[in-house]
Amino acid sequence: MASTESETTTFYQNVVVMRHGDRKDNFDPTWIKSAERPWDPPLVDNGMARAFRTGRTFRTILPFQIHRVFVSPFIRCVQTASEVAAALCAVDVEANAKSSTDVIKFDPSKVKVSIEYGLCEMLNKEAIRVDVAPKDGNFGFDVPLLETMFPSGTLDPSFERVYEK
């Protein structure tokens, strides 16, 4: 009996797991005192730059293309993923580019992005620093606003979240 192509072909799926970049509260301890959302610190500028460089590195050294980015709704994670996605789908970019702001043109067909609540650490006072966790337990993610942080066209509108708020 002759074997079909699907019986003899091996398919692979690659997964890259990455943490967020350098968060502001770890570099500026006074930030938390005036922060509106102390449980959700943004990245420092160097964290943004490192995320972009990481995306460029993924693009040049990985033996496969990254097609999909799933990200937690914390601002530091979205900022990290946004810079990585920008580097992955950059078309016209200067050799010395340091962030997505240096990218002239994007090809949004190269990578699709989805924000998934299920990728957060437990949203409770035990997992989030107890002194900064929201007292009412409402982490107040503004997903439509977070979605605007990604390069135009990279957000997957058909994505169905595993976990809702």
Side-chain angles (χ1 to χ4, degrees):
M1 179 172 166
S3 62
T4 65
E5 183 179 327
S6 64
E7 291 174 11
T8 59
T9 303
T10 303
F11 295 97
Y12 295 94
Q13 209 169 25
N14 298 289
V15 177
V16 176
V17 179
M18 179 178 166
R19 280 191 52 88
H20 56 77
D22 302 324
R23 48 191 275 178
K24 189 164 189 135
D25 59 338
N26 288 340
F27 288 84
D28 178 4
T30 63
W31 172 85
I32 210 164
K33 292 176 183 163
S34 62
E36 185 178 323
R37 299 169 49 83
W39 59 87
D40 195 11
L43 296 182
V44 294
D45 290 342
N46 189 45
M48 296 282 282
R50 285 179 63 195
F52 186 77
R53 284 194 313 269
T54 300
R56 289 185 77 166
T57 301
F58 285 164
R59 187 174 169 168
T60 57
I61 69 167
L62 291 178
F64 53 87
Q65 183 179 348
I66 294 176
H67 299 281
R68 171 68 68 168
V69 173
F70 293 100
V71 61
S72 147
F74 282 104
I75 190 73
R76 60 191 172 269
C77 301
V78 170
Q79 288 174 318
T80 301
S82 177
E83 289 298 305
V84 169
L88 292 173
C89 63
V91 175
D92 293 329
V93 62
E94 294 183 25
N96 297 326
K98 292 181 173 49
S99 75
S100 59
T101 59
D102 298 326
V103 177
I104 298 164
K105 184 177 177 189
F106 297 101
D107 178 355
S109 70
K110 294 201 178 280
V111 66
K112 292 298 175 198
V113 178
S114 304
I115 298 175
E116 172 57 59
Y117 289 101
L119 295 176
C120 295
E121 59 260 53
M122 295 300 297
L123 299 177
N124 60 47
K125 292 177 184 172
E126 288 75 36
I128 301 294
R129 296 173 182 172
V130 70
D131 56 329
V132 299
K135 308 280 185 263
D136 63 0
N138 180 1
F139 285 79
F141 297 117
D142 185 346
V143 172
L145 178 64
L146 296 172
E147 290 174 340
T148 66
M149 300 174 87
F150 292 100
S152 180
T154 59
L155 197 70
D156 181 357
S158 67
F159 174 69
E160 292 183 37
R161 289 184 182 85
V162 175
Y163 293 95
E164 291 299 324
K165 285 186 177 181

